[in-house]
Amino acid sequence: MRELNVPARREMQEAVTPEANLTDPLITNAAEAGDQVAMRRRTADGWESVTWTQFLAEVRALAKGLVAKGVSPGDRVTLMSKTRYEWTLADYAIWFAGAITVPIYETSSSEQVAWILSDSGAVAMIAETERHSTMAANVREQAPDLGEVWQIEGGGLDALVAAGGDVSDEEIETRRSALRGDDLATIIYTSGTTGRPKGCELSHGNFVFDVSAATTSLERLFEATGSSTLLFLPLAHVFARLIQVACVAKRVTLGHTADIKNLLPDLAAFQPTFVLAVPRIFEKIFNGAHNKAHSESSVKGRIFDQAEHIAIAYSEGLQSGRISPLVKVQHAVFDRLVYAKIRELLGGHVLYAVSGGGPLGARLGHFFRGVGTTVLEGYGLTESTAAATVNLPHAIRVGSVGRPIPGTTVRIADDGEILIRGANVFQGYWHNEAASKDSIDEHGFLYTGDIGELDADGYLSITGRKKELIVTAGGKNVAPAVLEDRLRSDALISQCMVVGDAKPFIACLVTIDPDALPYWRKQHGKAEDAPLSELIDDPDMRASVQAAVDEANEAVSKAEAIRKFVILPVDFTEEGGELTPSLKLKRAVVMKEFANEVDALYS
């Protein structure tokens, strides 16, 4: 199949009007369900409930402060913070003031902050910490439009509220209600694996459409009684942002946490009914459970391995429509012994999870569905307001990223590139007309840069990135994602990067998961304090990685297979600059940083 259009649903046509904007649901929620819990925010004593009436009042008060400080309709206000309650509060306050939110990842460098402040023409900034405020102060010369900076952790929001005491409710309502669907809601600068970030212009209408399409498709998540979710992905990323506004639109209780190291205790305390994550989170959960079982005893390790096998077989049976009686019996036994404990890691109440930002892989997809937490993979870009395709609870094909959301068309170009058309496609790049023209054709199709296939039933599979295709010296085209996804699914491996462009064969850089290393050392009789730098050439370590490489190579032809690899003594991380905030690999950075290691593979 080369193209599939899924028509918009009738209820979407009623919700997506030219006048609709992202602030409307908050007004409706306070009027119709004012005492219902909108959000739960973390305090020193635990999770505190905030009703829709309370949240609306706080949003209005903060919006009044922005107006009092001179923020005008259409102005850009930057927001640099970890995922927390105040992020959502400030986002809606900026909209209520008629302004445009410009998120900045809290891990951004001074150079990135300077560029975004300058390019967006931001007139003000809400920063989380003193470090963020200092960073803004240090780049003021490059951001001539920047006025005041209010620091969340320094009481800046309280001061802003106090400043707005003389601004009337009528002024805020006038600004809020004047917003229309084609007005900009946000400019999101793509973190970018190469080059300078570009500002994606996303309108209120883009979000209203995408929220309506996604929530009508995923009604089991958003319409269920008592629905709740805990956001832990960066709200500067469009994926988390879409879920934020969807929760407000559908009255789903929302919580925030940015402490990934304590994510499992937070999930246990919050007990969400669904979560969203990138594939690496699911890999970490699986690998943690696997390593824990094997480290406790050989018997528990064998039980886990068999439980994994049965979970995958059970899910594959669901997909084919045939589950053998033996698998059903074993699945019921392992549900009590193993699967219930894994579900508890997510809080015990998560039936569905939404995964985006990269391919999860069929193996993990089947495993989690077999365990009882179905991971619904989806696909989209910042330029498509996040969601463009998604698997549905009642129509899932593990290994794919689903079918187009209602009102969206997906086309596969002659060269395999995925094209998207719909009201979720962005308006263009801020101050970059040339790039805007290059990204959308005369028929309204967005060029994604991704390569994929539509099967006979319209399910989309991502096979690689156009710019990441490797062409070997022998002329063989190799999509690295196929190999890398398989490799990263191994419990020992953290990150990897396939290389081989213009080289005689395919090779790979591999990093070791620090959480898996203690178990590996114990399993192979190595000293508990043996540093990774002393183990990268260890025969047992190389044999373990070789086994993972052999497994990955089964997915490709001999000409595409990894023939050599090197184990690096360090991991790829966001802090180190090798990963974007959404955990995508910065290939150019890795190639530059580890050029000697790559050269050695071919010497």
mmCIF file of all heavy atoms in Angstrom, residues 419-455:
data_model
loop_
_atom_site.group_PDB
_atom_site.id
_atom_site.type_symbol
_atom_site.label_atom_id
_atom_site.label_comp_id
_atom_site.label_asym_id
_atom_site.label_seq_id
_atom_site.Cartn_x
_atom_site.Cartn_y
_atom_site.Cartn_z
ATOM 1 N N LEU A 419 5.332 10.499 4.065
ATOM 2 C CA LEU A 419 4.744 11.830 3.952
ATOM 3 C C LEU A 419 3.454 11.856 4.764
ATOM 4 O O LEU A 419 2.716 10.873 4.806
ATOM 5 C CB LEU A 419 4.451 12.175 2.491
ATOM 6 C CG LEU A 419 5.571 11.949 1.461
ATOM 7 C CD1 LEU A 419 5.103 12.399 0.073
ATOM 8 C CD2 LEU A 419 6.830 12.683 1.868
ATOM 9 N N ILE A 420 3.173 13.000 5.392
ATOM 10 C CA ILE A 420 1.994 13.143 6.255
ATOM 11 C C ILE A 420 1.218 14.387 5.857
ATOM 12 O O ILE A 420 1.803 15.451 5.623
ATOM 13 C CB ILE A 420 2.400 13.272 7.740
ATOM 14 C CG1 ILE A 420 3.133 12.014 8.217
ATOM 15 C CG2 ILE A 420 1.175 13.528 8.621
ATOM 16 C CD1 ILE A 420 3.770 12.184 9.572
ATOM 17 N N ARG A 421 -0.120 14.245 5.779
ATOM 18 C CA ARG A 421 -0.974 15.409 5.527
ATOM 19 C C ARG A 421 -2.145 15.377 6.503
ATOM 20 O O ARG A 421 -2.735 14.338 6.772
ATOM 21 C CB ARG A 421 -1.504 15.404 4.090
ATOM 22 C CG ARG A 421 -2.352 16.643 3.762
ATOM 23 C CD ARG A 421 -2.688 16.710 2.281
ATOM 24 N NE ARG A 421 -3.502 15.575 1.854
ATOM 25 C CZ ARG A 421 -3.781 15.294 0.578
ATOM 26 N NH1 ARG A 421 -3.287 16.060 -0.393
ATOM 27 N NH2 ARG A 421 -4.538 14.270 0.266
ATOM 28 N N GLY A 422 -2.458 16.551 7.052
ATOM 29 C CA GLY A 422 -3.576 16.667 7.987
ATOM 30 C C GLY A 422 -3.492 17.999 8.717
ATOM 31 O O GLY A 422 -2.523 18.756 8.573
ATOM 32 N N ALA A 423 -4.511 18.281 9.502
ATOM 33 C CA ALA A 423 -4.546 19.554 10.238
ATOM 34 C C ALA A 423 -3.563 19.570 11.402
ATOM 35 O O ALA A 423 -3.440 20.588 12.090
ATOM 36 C CB ALA A 423 -5.961 19.814 10.756
ATOM 37 N N ASN A 424 -2.867 18.467 11.625
ATOM 38 C CA ASN A 424 -1.817 18.435 12.643
ATOM 39 C C ASN A 424 -0.465 18.896 12.105
ATOM 40 O O ASN A 424 0.476 19.096 12.879
ATOM 41 C CB ASN A 424 -1.678 17.036 13.239
ATOM 42 C CG ASN A 424 -1.559 15.953 12.184
ATOM 43 O OD1 ASN A 424 -1.873 16.166 11.010
ATOM 44 N ND2 ASN A 424 -1.121 14.773 12.589
ATOM 45 N N VAL A 425 -0.333 19.055 10.792
ATOM 46 C CA VAL A 425 0.937 19.491 10.205
ATOM 47 C C VAL A 425 1.180 20.958 10.516
ATOM 48 O O VAL A 425 0.295 21.807 10.354
ATOM 49 C CB VAL A 425 0.944 19.243 8.682
ATOM 50 C CG1 VAL A 425 2.170 19.878 8.032
ATOM 51 C CG2 VAL A 425 0.903 17.749 8.395
ATOM 52 N N PHE A 426 2.379 21.257 10.951
ATOM 53 C CA PHE A 426 2.716 22.589 11.464
ATOM 54 C C PHE A 426 2.608 23.680 10.403
ATOM 55 O O PHE A 426 2.477 23.405 9.207
ATOM 56 C CB PHE A 426 4.088 22.580 12.101
ATOM 57 C CG PHE A 426 5.263 22.576 11.139
ATOM 58 C CD1 PHE A 426 6.438 23.233 11.466
ATOM 59 C CD2 PHE A 426 5.226 21.914 9.924
ATOM 60 C CE1 PHE A 426 7.527 23.241 10.605
ATOM 61 C CE2 PHE A 426 6.308 21.913 9.056
ATOM 62 C CZ PHE A 426 7.468 22.581 9.407
ATOM 63 N N GLN A 427 2.709 24.939 10.860
ATOM 64 C CA GLN A 427 2.572 26.069 9.951
ATOM 65 C C GLN A 427 3.867 26.410 9.232
ATOM 66 O O GLN A 427 3.854 27.099 8.216
ATOM 67 C CB GLN A 427 2.063 27.291 10.731
ATOM 68 C CG GLN A 427 0.675 27.090 11.325
ATOM 69 C CD GLN A 427 0.091 28.374 11.889
ATOM 70 O OE1 GLN A 427 0.761 29.395 11.985
ATOM 71 N NE2 GLN A 427 -1.165 28.320 12.278
ATOM 72 N N GLY A 428 4.979 25.956 9.764
ATOM 73 C CA GLY A 428 6.279 26.244 9.166
ATOM 74 C C GLY A 428 7.324 26.465 10.237
ATOM 75 O O GLY A 428 7.057 26.326 11.435
ATOM 76 N N TYR A 429 8.534 26.796 9.783
ATOM 77 C CA TYR A 429 9.628 27.076 10.712
ATOM 78 C C TYR A 429 9.744 28.585 10.936
ATOM 79 O O TYR A 429 9.744 29.368 9.985
ATOM 80 C CB TYR A 429 10.955 26.537 10.180
ATOM 81 C CG TYR A 429 11.011 25.030 10.096
ATOM 82 C CD1 TYR A 429 11.018 24.387 8.857
ATOM 83 C CD2 TYR A 429 11.062 24.242 11.246
ATOM 84 C CE1 TYR A 429 11.078 23.007 8.766
ATOM 85 C CE2 TYR A 429 11.115 22.856 11.163
ATOM 86 C CZ TYR A 429 11.123 22.249 9.925
ATOM 87 O OH TYR A 429 11.163 20.879 9.844
ATOM 88 N N TRP A 430 9.849 28.973 12.173
ATOM 89 C CA TRP A 430 9.934 30.380 12.568
ATOM 90 C C TRP A 430 11.166 31.015 11.920
ATOM 91 O O TRP A 430 12.282 30.514 12.065
ATOM 92 C CB TRP A 430 10.010 30.460 14.091
ATOM 93 C CG TRP A 430 10.088 31.837 14.674
ATOM 94 C CD1 TRP A 430 11.201 32.483 15.118
ATOM 95 C CD2 TRP A 430 8.990 32.732 14.928
ATOM 96 N NE1 TRP A 430 10.880 33.716 15.626
ATOM 97 C CE2 TRP A 430 9.525 33.895 15.520
ATOM 98 C CE3 TRP A 430 7.607 32.641 14.707
ATOM 99 C CZ2 TRP A 430 8.724 34.965 15.903
ATOM 100 C CZ3 TRP A 430 6.815 33.709 15.080
ATOM 101 C CH2 TRP A 430 7.374 34.855 15.668
ATOM 102 N N HIS A 431 10.942 32.122 11.200
ATOM 103 C CA HIS A 431 12.030 32.885 10.582
ATOM 104 C C HIS A 431 12.871 32.031 9.632
ATOM 105 O O HIS A 431 14.078 32.258 9.500
ATOM 106 C CB HIS A 431 12.956 33.500 11.651
ATOM 107 C CG HIS A 431 12.331 34.645 12.383
ATOM 108 N ND1 HIS A 431 12.892 35.187 13.518
ATOM 109 C CD2 HIS A 431 11.184 35.338 12.163
ATOM 110 C CE1 HIS A 431 12.119 36.169 13.958
ATOM 111 N NE2 HIS A 431 11.080 36.273 13.149
ATOM 112 N N ASN A 432 12.274 31.031 8.988
ATOM 113 C CA ASN A 432 13.052 30.175 8.098
ATOM 114 C C ASN A 432 12.152 29.727 6.944
ATOM 115 O O ASN A 432 11.713 28.583 6.868
ATOM 116 C CB ASN A 432 13.593 28.967 8.861
ATOM 117 C CG ASN A 432 14.730 28.267 8.114
ATOM 118 O OD1 ASN A 432 14.806 28.331 6.890
ATOM 119 N ND2 ASN A 432 15.591 27.593 8.864
ATOM 120 N N GLU A 433 11.888 30.644 6.044
ATOM 121 C CA GLU A 433 10.969 30.381 4.940
ATOM 122 C C GLU A 433 11.490 29.307 4.003
ATOM 123 O O GLU A 433 10.724 28.467 3.512
ATOM 124 C CB GLU A 433 10.730 31.682 4.152
ATOM 125 C CG GLU A 433 9.680 31.543 3.058
ATOM 126 C CD GLU A 433 9.402 32.865 2.354
ATOM 127 O OE1 GLU A 433 9.873 33.909 2.837
ATOM 128 O OE2 GLU A 433 8.715 32.837 1.312
ATOM 129 N N ALA A 434 12.799 29.271 3.781
ATOM 130 C CA ALA A 434 13.368 28.287 2.863
ATOM 131 C C ALA A 434 13.153 26.870 3.389
ATOM 132 O O ALA A 434 12.742 25.973 2.651
ATOM 133 C CB ALA A 434 14.853 28.559 2.657
ATOM 134 N N ALA A 435 13.432 26.678 4.679
ATOM 135 C CA ALA A 435 13.249 25.349 5.269
ATOM 136 C C ALA A 435 11.776 24.961 5.290
ATOM 137 O O ALA A 435 11.430 23.794 5.111
ATOM 138 C CB ALA A 435 13.826 25.316 6.686
ATOM 139 N N SER A 436 10.905 25.943 5.498
ATOM 140 C CA SER A 436 9.464 25.674 5.509
ATOM 141 C C SER A 436 9.004 25.165 4.147
ATOM 142 O O SER A 436 8.234 24.202 4.049
ATOM 143 C CB SER A 436 8.682 26.936 5.887
ATOM 144 O OG SER A 436 9.045 27.404 7.170
ATOM 145 N N LYS A 437 9.473 25.811 3.080
ATOM 146 C CA LYS A 437 9.078 25.403 1.730
ATOM 147 C C LYS A 437 9.604 24.016 1.396
ATOM 148 O O LYS A 437 8.956 23.246 0.676
ATOM 149 C CB LYS A 437 9.583 26.427 0.710
ATOM 150 C CG LYS A 437 8.837 27.752 0.739
ATOM 151 C CD LYS A 437 9.354 28.699 -0.338
ATOM 152 C CE LYS A 437 8.555 30.003 -0.340
ATOM 153 N NZ LYS A 437 9.070 30.944 -1.366
ATOM 154 N N ASP A 438 10.787 23.694 1.911
ATOM 155 C CA ASP A 438 11.378 22.387 1.634
ATOM 156 C C ASP A 438 10.676 21.260 2.381
ATOM 157 O O ASP A 438 10.778 20.096 1.995
ATOM 158 C CB ASP A 438 12.862 22.382 2.016
ATOM 159 C CG ASP A 438 13.706 23.210 1.073
ATOM 160 O OD1 ASP A 438 13.240 23.499 -0.047
ATOM 161 O OD2 ASP A 438 14.836 23.578 1.455
ATOM 162 N N SER A 439 9.957 21.596 3.458
ATOM 163 C CA SER A 439 9.392 20.547 4.307
ATOM 164 C C SER A 439 7.970 20.153 3.923
ATOM 165 O O SER A 439 7.510 19.060 4.282
ATOM 166 C CB SER A 439 9.412 20.991 5.779
ATOM 167 O OG SER A 439 8.551 22.092 5.980
ATOM 168 N N ILE A 440 7.243 21.034 3.233
ATOM 169 C CA ILE A 440 5.845 20.763 2.876
ATOM 170 C C ILE A 440 5.667 21.008 1.380
ATOM 171 O O ILE A 440 6.034 22.072 0.869
ATOM 172 C CB ILE A 440 4.878 21.662 3.672
ATOM 173 C CG1 ILE A 440 5.077 21.473 5.177
ATOM 174 C CG2 ILE A 440 3.432 21.351 3.309
ATOM 175 C CD1 ILE A 440 4.247 22.404 6.029
ATOM 176 N N ASP A 441 5.091 20.032 0.657
ATOM 177 C CA ASP A 441 4.926 20.204 -0.784
ATOM 178 C C ASP A 441 3.644 20.960 -1.111
ATOM 179 O O ASP A 441 2.878 21.358 -0.217
ATOM 180 C CB ASP A 441 4.988 18.863 -1.514
ATOM 181 C CG ASP A 441 3.785 17.960 -1.250
ATOM 182 O OD1 ASP A 441 2.767 18.438 -0.711
ATOM 183 O OD2 ASP A 441 3.872 16.763 -1.593
ATOM 184 N N GLU A 442 3.390 21.144 -2.398
ATOM 185 C CA GLU A 442 2.254 21.953 -2.831
ATOM 186 C C GLU A 442 0.912 21.292 -2.521
ATOM 187 O O GLU A 442 -0.133 21.944 -2.557
ATOM 188 C CB GLU A 442 2.354 22.230 -4.341
ATOM 189 C CG GLU A 442 2.210 21.009 -5.242
ATOM 190 C CD GLU A 442 3.531 20.283 -5.488
ATOM 191 O OE1 GLU A 442 4.483 20.502 -4.690
ATOM 192 O OE2 GLU A 442 3.603 19.509 -6.458
ATOM 193 N N HIS A 443 0.920 20.016 -2.173
ATOM 194 C CA HIS A 443 -0.315 19.310 -1.822
ATOM 195 C C HIS A 443 -0.533 19.231 -0.311
ATOM 196 O O HIS A 443 -1.475 18.580 0.138
ATOM 197 C CB HIS A 443 -0.297 17.902 -2.410
ATOM 198 C CG HIS A 443 -0.094 17.860 -3.899
ATOM 199 N ND1 HIS A 443 -1.016 18.376 -4.788
ATOM 200 C CD2 HIS A 443 0.942 17.389 -4.648
ATOM 201 C CE1 HIS A 443 -0.578 18.217 -6.020
ATOM 202 N NE2 HIS A 443 0.605 17.620 -5.965
ATOM 203 N N GLY A 444 0.351 19.869 0.445
ATOM 204 C CA GLY A 444 0.206 19.875 1.894
ATOM 205 C C GLY A 444 0.842 18.709 2.607
ATOM 206 O O GLY A 444 0.624 18.520 3.814
ATOM 207 N N PHE A 445 1.636 17.908 1.911
ATOM 208 C CA PHE A 445 2.287 16.752 2.531
ATOM 209 C C PHE A 445 3.606 17.175 3.201
ATOM 210 O O PHE A 445 4.432 17.855 2.597
ATOM 211 C CB PHE A 445 2.574 15.659 1.513
ATOM 212 C CG PHE A 445 1.395 14.765 1.244
ATOM 213 C CD1 PHE A 445 0.613 14.950 0.117
ATOM 214 C CD2 PHE A 445 1.069 13.735 2.125
ATOM 215 C CE1 PHE A 445 -0.477 14.136 -0.148
ATOM 216 C CE2 PHE A 445 -0.018 12.912 1.877
ATOM 217 C CZ PHE A 445 -0.804 13.111 0.746
ATOM 218 N N LEU A 446 3.769 16.738 4.432
ATOM 219 C CA LEU A 446 4.988 16.977 5.194
ATOM 220 C C LEU A 446 6.006 15.890 4.874
ATOM 221 O O LEU A 446 5.710 14.697 4.980
ATOM 222 C CB LEU A 446 4.674 16.969 6.690
ATOM 223 C CG LEU A 446 5.869 16.960 7.657
ATOM 224 C CD1 LEU A 446 6.618 18.283 7.603
ATOM 225 C CD2 LEU A 446 5.391 16.663 9.078
ATOM 226 N N TYR A 447 7.201 16.300 4.488
ATOM 227 C CA TYR A 447 8.285 15.355 4.257
ATOM 228 C C TYR A 447 8.958 15.059 5.600
ATOM 229 O O TYR A 447 9.565 15.931 6.200
ATOM 230 C CB TYR A 447 9.301 15.922 3.264
ATOM 231 C CG TYR A 447 8.799 15.941 1.838
ATOM 232 C CD1 TYR A 447 7.954 16.944 1.379
ATOM 233 C CD2 TYR A 447 9.162 14.923 0.957
ATOM 234 C CE1 TYR A 447 7.482 16.946 0.076
ATOM 235 C CE2 TYR A 447 8.699 14.921 -0.352
ATOM 236 C CZ TYR A 447 7.860 15.931 -0.780
ATOM 237 O OH TYR A 447 7.388 15.917 -2.068
ATOM 238 N N THR A 448 8.849 13.807 6.056
ATOM 239 C CA THR A 448 9.304 13.479 7.411
ATOM 240 C C THR A 448 10.786 13.168 7.509
ATOM 241 O O THR A 448 11.379 13.280 8.590
ATOM 242 C CB THR A 448 8.539 12.259 7.954
ATOM 243 O OG1 THR A 448 8.905 11.097 7.196
ATOM 244 C CG2 THR A 448 7.034 12.481 7.865
ATOM 245 N N GLY A 449 11.389 12.733 6.401
ATOM 246 C CA GLY A 449 12.777 12.294 6.467
ATOM 247 C C GLY A 449 12.923 10.855 6.926
ATOM 248 O O GLY A 449 14.029 10.308 6.925
ATOM 249 N N ASP A 450 11.810 10.237 7.325
ATOM 250 C CA ASP A 450 11.826 8.839 7.749
ATOM 251 C C ASP A 450 11.443 7.938 6.578
ATOM 252 O O ASP A 450 10.665 8.321 5.706
ATOM 253 C CB ASP A 450 10.846 8.604 8.892
ATOM 254 C CG ASP A 450 11.294 9.273 10.178
ATOM 255 O OD1 ASP A 450 12.475 9.097 10.546
ATOM 256 O OD2 ASP A 450 10.483 9.977 10.802
ATOM 257 N N ILE A 451 11.951 6.728 6.602
ATOM 258 C CA ILE A 451 11.636 5.732 5.585
ATOM 259 C C ILE A 451 10.745 4.668 6.212
ATOM 260 O O ILE A 451 10.986 4.235 7.350
ATOM 261 C CB ILE A 451 12.922 5.089 5.031
ATOM 262 C CG1 ILE A 451 13.789 6.157 4.373
ATOM 263 C CG2 ILE A 451 12.595 3.985 4.033
ATOM 264 C CD1 ILE A 451 15.153 5.654 3.959
ATOM 265 N N GLY A 452 9.704 4.266 5.493
ATOM 266 C CA GLY A 452 8.794 3.290 6.071
ATOM 267 C C GLY A 452 7.982 2.547 5.036
ATOM 268 O O GLY A 452 8.129 2.760 3.817
ATOM 269 N N GLU A 453 7.097 1.680 5.544
ATOM 270 C CA GLU A 453 6.241 0.871 4.680
ATOM 271 C C GLU A 453 4.842 0.812 5.276
ATOM 272 O O GLU A 453 4.682 0.755 6.501
ATOM 273 C CB GLU A 453 6.796 -0.554 4.565
ATOM 274 C CG GLU A 453 8.184 -0.653 3.977
ATOM 275 C CD GLU A 453 8.760 -2.059 4.093
ATOM 276 O OE1 GLU A 453 8.153 -2.880 4.826
ATOM 277 O OE2 GLU A 453 9.813 -2.317 3.485
ATOM 278 N N LEU A 454 3.840 0.826 4.426
ATOM 279 C CA LEU A 454 2.455 0.577 4.815
ATOM 280 C C LEU A 454 2.095 -0.838 4.384
ATOM 281 O O LEU A 454 2.252 -1.182 3.209
ATOM 282 C CB LEU A 454 1.507 1.575 4.138
ATOM 283 C CG LEU A 454 1.422 2.993 4.707
ATOM 284 C CD1 LEU A 454 0.633 3.877 3.749
ATOM 285 C CD2 LEU A 454 0.778 3.006 6.083
ATOM 286 N N ASP A 455 1.622 -1.657 5.334
ATOM 287 C CA ASP A 455 1.246 -3.004 4.931
ATOM 288 C C ASP A 455 -0.154 -2.998 4.314
ATOM 289 O O ASP A 455 -0.787 -1.944 4.165
ATOM 290 C CB ASP A 455 1.366 -3.986 6.102
ATOM 291 C CG ASP A 455 0.332 -3.763 7.201
ATOM 292 O OD1 ASP A 455 -0.668 -3.047 6.982
ATOM 293 O OD2 ASP A 455 0.526 -4.316 8.306
#
